[in-house]
Amino acid sequence: MEKSQKEVEETFNNDPKNWKFGGLFYYSKIDKRFIVDKSNPNYGTTLNFAHPKSYLMLLIAFLFFGFVLYMITKNQ
């Protein structure tokens, strides 16, 4: 019997081998999702750092916040 998508996602999320640095980062090459639920869903979502787009997303976020800080401190 084939598992549903939700069951497959829960299997990936519940596997402690996919969580690095004490559950802080999610890293699974088999899991193709870009954004995944944290091991405790009350904490929100995180990126799958095995997915190439996660590093692009981090770069964009750092550039955005760097630009905001630059604009704030530019005129001071």
Side-chain angles (χ1 to χ4, degrees), residues 45-63:
T45 59
T46 188
L47 299 175
N48 179 0
F49 286 95
H51 198 287
K53 289 183 182 177
S54 64
Y55 295 104
L56 179 62
M57 180 66 110
L58 281 177
L59 178 65
I60 290 170
F62 283 131
L63 289 174

Side-chain angles (χ1 to χ4, degrees), residues 19-67:
W19 293 96
K20 308 298 180 193
F21 299 108
L24 189 60
F25 298 107
Y26 183 81
Y27 188 92
S28 174
K29 290 183 179 181
I30 300 170
D31 191 354
K32 299 299 179 193
R33 294 177 296 162
F34 169 57
I35 297 175
V36 296
D37 288 334
K38 294 244 183 192
S39 54
N40 182 347
N42 294 331
Y43 294 150
T45 59
T46 188
L47 299 175
N48 179 0
F49 286 95
H51 198 287
K53 289 183 182 177
S54 64
Y55 295 104
L56 179 62
M57 180 66 110
L58 281 177
L59 178 65
I60 290 170
F62 283 131
L63 289 174
F64 173 74
F65 289 116
F67 177 73

